Amino acid sequence: MIRKTLNASRLQEEVSRRIHRIHEIVEDGVKIRVPRPQKQEPDATGCNWTMKHFGNAIGYERVVDEVLRSARAEYNLSDTDDAKDIHSLFGD
């Protein structure tokens, strides 16, 4: 499967969206802090990013890991700097 590419902010938002739509998390009213993805050398699967240290996730590690595994299989982190993306919106 070919991975889609997202910048760090969009990837962080996507992982957060997926986590916060899980029934168990919605039902419990928990807000989990999702860290920014960190670039790494591609692993054996070809994924070039990881996330560590989710906030307020105690007791939800299993579902967070499932979301993270799914997102890592679907997306790669772009080489584009988020700041550069913002400037391009304004023609800088």
Side-chain angles (χ1 to χ4, degrees):
M1 176 176 162
I2 296 175
R3 287 180 173 85
K4 301 171 198 151
T5 304
L6 293 177
N7 66 30
S9 293
R10 301 283 309 262
L11 194 49
Q12 183 180 24
E13 290 169 6
E14 178 62 18
V15 171
S16 180
R17 184 187 68 76
R18 291 180 183 198
I19 287 172
H20 291 101
R21 74 176 187 198
I22 294 171
H23 178 73
E24 178 183 353
I25 291 173
V26 172
E27 192 173 84
D28 293 347
V30 176
K31 179 69 176 159
I32 294 176
R33 188 190 61 74
V34 177
R36 291 190 53 87
Q38 300 299 308
K39 189 96 169 168
Q40 66 179 18
E41 288 298 316
D43 62 15
T45 69
C47 184
N48 70 348
W49 62 276
T50 190
M51 286 182 170
K52 297 178 183 176
H53 312 296
F54 286 78
N56 202 31
I58 294 173
Y60 301 97
E61 294 89 352
R62 181 187 53 78
V63 293
V64 169
D65 284 344
E66 288 173 10
V67 168
L68 191 56
R69 187 178 12 228
S70 172
R72 285 175 43 87
E74 192 173 339
Y75 296 102
N76 260 342
L77 183 59
S78 72
D79 292 327
T80 307
D81 183 13
D82 289 339
K84 204 184 298 181
D85 288 348
I86 292 169
H87 293 303
S88 68
L89 294 173
F90 300 104
D92 294 345

